[in-house]
Amino acid sequence: AAAAATAVSAKPAAAAPLSADRSVVRLGLPSKGRMAELTLSLLKSCQLSVRQLNPRQYTADIPQVPNLEVWFQRPTDIVRKLCSGDLDLGIVGYDIISEYAQGNDDLVIIHDALDFGHCRLSLAVPKEGIFDSINTLEDLLNMPQWTEERPMRVVTGFGYVGAKFLKEKGFKHVSFLAGDGALESYPAMGMADAIVDLVSSGTTLRENNLKEIEGGVILESQATLVASKKSLNRREGVLEISHEMLERLEAHLTASGKIMVNLYIFLCHTITPD
Ligand SMILES: Nc1ncnc2c1ncn2[C@@H]1O[C@H](COP(=O)(O)OP(=O)(O)OP(=O)(O)O)[C@@H](O)[C@H]1O
Ligand SMILES: O=P(O)(O)OC[C@H]1O[C@H](OP(=O)(O)OP(=O)(O)O)[C@H](O)[C@@H]1O
């Protein structure tokens, strides 16, 4: 068990050397969860239909793009595998990149607004009790309740960005508890004072008697196309495939009235050395 524990690190994978024994380009797509189907339908709208022979297989292809392998992975693993050099491109939410790449500068977002998976990562507290008159981050920061012995207990699946945000905002007495889901239940169970979680419609917060506070949005997220800079610079075909995907995404999103926010591109000359 000790050996296993040392093999698993909370830190992002260090930028790995590019594996030379692979000539095919790899794109990671979400294998399940709310992003999975939306990703496939966006690609389909861009005439980039993914062909998966068997729904239990994790690999597929896009006939219009030769030399590209699609790998279905959990979003967190897409980011980890981009960092380790085992994927070259991926489609994932910006929230997941922020949390799991942890500033790894090998990752580059080449399209930051694919127009689905919109949500925000937000700090929320109970509507009532000691939080009755707490409406801003400053109110929360100035609450006398938080001390070294009794810190504000925050439950989240976003320990890295959550802690970074609160530290930057001047919170000193905070402890974090990791949770995977149904985080909105923790305050009512007496296990946490606040939560840092994704919010979209706000219904889940409301139904659990929680509220967001002014200044408490940590980040805004939607689906993005992300690449390994090393792959873009050095693996044959990655730049061309990125270009092709971006052109098709741009054509589709522009036709549906969306503005391209960040065509990182292009690309050809602007990728900085890794
Ligand atoms: N309520 C929401 N509305 C819109 N997009 C969301 C919402 N919640 C999450 N997302 C986006 O969808 C992504 C995947 O969320 P989802 O809950 O499906 O995760 P998952 O891959 O099934 O993992 P897990 O089940 O472990 O949470 C998130 O990283 C985020 O970018
Ligand atoms: O603002 P809303 O539209 O209500 O959406 C917010 C909820 O959506 C996500 O949970 P999800 O449905 O993925 O379930 P989970 O709690 O198991 O992660 C998120 O973690 C919130 O709980």
Side-chain angles (χ1 to χ4, degrees):
T6 51
V8 178
S9 162
K11 293 202 161 156
L18 199 70
S19 71
D21 55 354
R22 166 162 73 82
S23 58
V24 71
V25 176
R26 289 180 178 167
L27 167 69
L29 300 182
S31 54
K32 54 179 283 201
R34 71 183 76 229
M35 304 287 270
E37 251 180 65
L38 294 169
T39 303
L40 295 181
S41 62
L42 172 69
L43 292 175
K44 193 171 174 192
S45 312
C46 301
Q47 283 77 50
L48 291 168
S49 289
V50 176
R51 183 177 59 176
Q52 190 183 17
L53 295 178
N54 173 337
R56 293 303 300 172
Q57 274 176 359
Y58 292 115
T59 184
D61 65 2
I62 299 180
Q64 287 89 338
V65 188
N67 198 38
L68 178 72
E69 268 175 11
V70 169
W71 287 91
F72 291 105
Q73 305 282 299
R74 298 301 292 263
T76 48
D77 286 337
I78 291 177
V79 174
R80 291 190 186 105
K81 288 172 186 176
L82 284 164
C83 290
S84 66
D86 293 299
L87 288 172
D88 304 307
L89 295 160
I91 293 184
V92 279
Y94 178 69
D95 56 321
I96 298 295
I97 298 171
S98 306
E99 178 64 22
Y100 290 89
Q102 302 191 354
N104 180 332
D105 65 5
D106 184 50
L107 257 57
V108 52
I109 295 174
I110 56 179
H111 193 307
D112 67 356
L114 296 182
D115 200 36
F116 67 95
H118 292 271
C119 55
R120 56 189 179 273
L121 183 66
S122 205
L123 180 73
V125 296
K127 280 184 190 149
E128 287 145 13
I130 58 168
F131 297 98
D132 197 19
S133 60
I134 302 300
N135 296 308
T136 68
L137 201 60
E138 209 184 338
D139 295 341
L140 187 65
L141 179 64
N142 293 328
M143 283 176 75
Q145 280 85 351
W146 320 130
T147 62
E148 204 165 334
E149 296 72 43
R150 175 60 175 87
M152 178 171 79
R153 300 162 306 162
V154 181
V155 63
T156 188
F158 290 82
Y160 173 74
V161 276
K164 191 164 171 280
F165 175 82
L166 289 178
K167 191 172 174 212
E168 282 166 10
K169 297 293 177 186
F171 284 80
K172 291 200 168 56
H173 305 305
V174 184
S175 67
F176 282 90
L177 176 64
D180 287 332
L183 302 186
E184 293 84 353
S185 64
Y186 282 62
M189 292 176 79
M191 296 172 67
D193 303 302
I195 76 170
V196 165
D197 197 12
L198 298 172
V199 181
S200 173
S201 65
T203 309
T204 315
L205 286 182
R206 226 173 11 257
E207 295 298 326
N208 289 281
N209 279 316
L210 299 169
K211 63 182 178 190
E212 292 179 273
I213 55 174
E214 203 187 309
V217 175
I218 296 166
L219 58 84
E220 303 270 358
S221 180
Q222 62 177 293
T224 66
L225 176 62
V226 59
S228 150
K229 209 193 284 179
K230 222 178 242 113
S231 296
L232 279 169
N233 281 333
R234 302 204 210 142
R235 190 181 299 289
E236 204 181 317
V238 178
L239 197 62
E240 291 73 14
I241 288 174
S242 303
H243 221 168
E244 165 95 26
M245 289 184 74
L246 273 165
E247 263 173 23
R248 288 175 182 262
L249 287 164
E250 186 188 11
H252 170 70
L253 293 168
T254 310
S256 50
K258 309 298 174 198
I259 300 161
M260 300 294 285
V261 181
N262 176 10
L263 270 193
Y264 191 80
I265 325 313
F266 235 118
L267 259 171
C268 314
H269 303 109
T270 52
I271 300 293
T272 50
D274 50 50

